[in-house]
Amino acid sequence: MYFGVFGALLVLTVITVWVSTLGLGPIAIYVAMFVAIIKAFMVCAYFMHLKWDSPFNRLVFISSIVFMAIFFVITATDLGYRGQINPETDTMVLRQEENATAAEAARKAAFEAKTVVLARAPGSVPTGVDNPPAAVPAAAAPAPAAPAAPAVAPAAPAAAPAAPAAP
């Protein structure tokens, strides 16, 4: 029986590799995951002896798989929203906001253009930004101003106060 399960696992492995060469695009991952679930079931049922074990051990194993699936869904949801920060409010952008109207997109682009110009002032470093903005075209960037000469000459330093006389 073990050799039969081993042979089935080898055949399923070959199927997984074959599916990856078919060029199915995004569907290939679903087919590969389905085959992997079948292989995992066979390993657990036969090599871990869950097929012949007590029902309580099966319940513990299945409940651990369910909780692992819940954590995977939570992690996938979190990864789906990473890096989507609204620069105006410094908050997370929701998926519905990504499909904004053209006017909203133009307003955001204008805001970002102003932010780029302000962030690129000479000697300044943008703060709170993971990726610095792209270089500003020379026509849009303000020219650095030369320091103005003082209108009035600086005053001479005051003389040091005299020490009090000794009694």
Side-chain angles (χ1 to χ4, degrees), residues 86-88 100-117 133:
N86 184 346
E88 292 179 48
T101 63
E104 180 70 15
R107 187 184 65 76
K108 285 183 180 181
F111 175 79
E112 289 171 0
K114 290 177 189 173
T115 303
V116 169
V117 170

Side-chain angles (χ1 to χ4, degrees), residues 87 110-137 140-142:
F111 175 79
E112 289 171 0
K114 290 177 189 173
T115 303
V116 169
V117 170
L118 294 176
R120 288 304 211 182
S124 70
V125 176
T127 57
V129 178
D130 289 338
N131 298 321
V136 177

